[in-house]
Amino acid sequence: MEQRIKIANLKPYSLEVYGPGGADDMIWKIDSDDPFTPMNRGDRMLLLDVPGARPDEAHEITAIEHLIWTAGPQVRYVTRIYTRPAEPLG
């Protein structure tokens, strides 16, 4: 059975995290009704909610992309974070 996305059910904010392989290396994606905390190149992230995540594995942000697109009356804000492996800071 074909499953279609219902525009009315989309949350307005998405955060996508990619590994060193770029757009073909998605690590995690989460949708939210609220904006995400601003991030910068060089920041380190511990993705503890990702399946198989380890507290000793960090990701350093190397690039950030912001996309804005409309689907009918709705506007979606997508932030793509590109990372590389890094040592945790603490």
Side-chain angles (χ1 to χ4, degrees):
M1 179 189 338
E2 184 179 327
Q3 189 173 21
R4 294 184 175 254
I5 297 172
K6 295 186 181 192
I7 301 298
N9 294 341
L10 291 175
K11 296 191 181 258
Y13 299 95
S14 290
L15 176 67
E16 299 174 355
V17 179
Y18 296 89
D24 293 330
D25 189 11
M26 184 183 280
I27 297 171
W28 192 49
K29 179 179 186 241
I30 187 167
D31 299 315
S32 176
D33 289 317
D34 300 307
F36 294 95
T37 301
M39 294 176 244
N40 298 295
R41 288 179 59 201
D43 286 353
R44 292 183 184 200
M45 303 167 45
L46 290 172
L47 303 174
L48 298 179
D49 288 340
V50 175
R54 299 186 345 237
D56 62 335
E57 184 177 81
H59 301 268
E60 180 180 349
I61 297 173
T62 58
I64 301 171
E65 264 183 349
H66 297 283
L67 299 116
I68 300 170
W69 61 273
T70 59
Q74 279 196 323
V75 177
R76 297 230 30 228
Y77 303 92
V78 179
T79 301
R80 291 181 175 169
I81 303 290
Y82 297 92
T83 69
R84 65 179 170 215
E87 292 292 322
L89 289 173

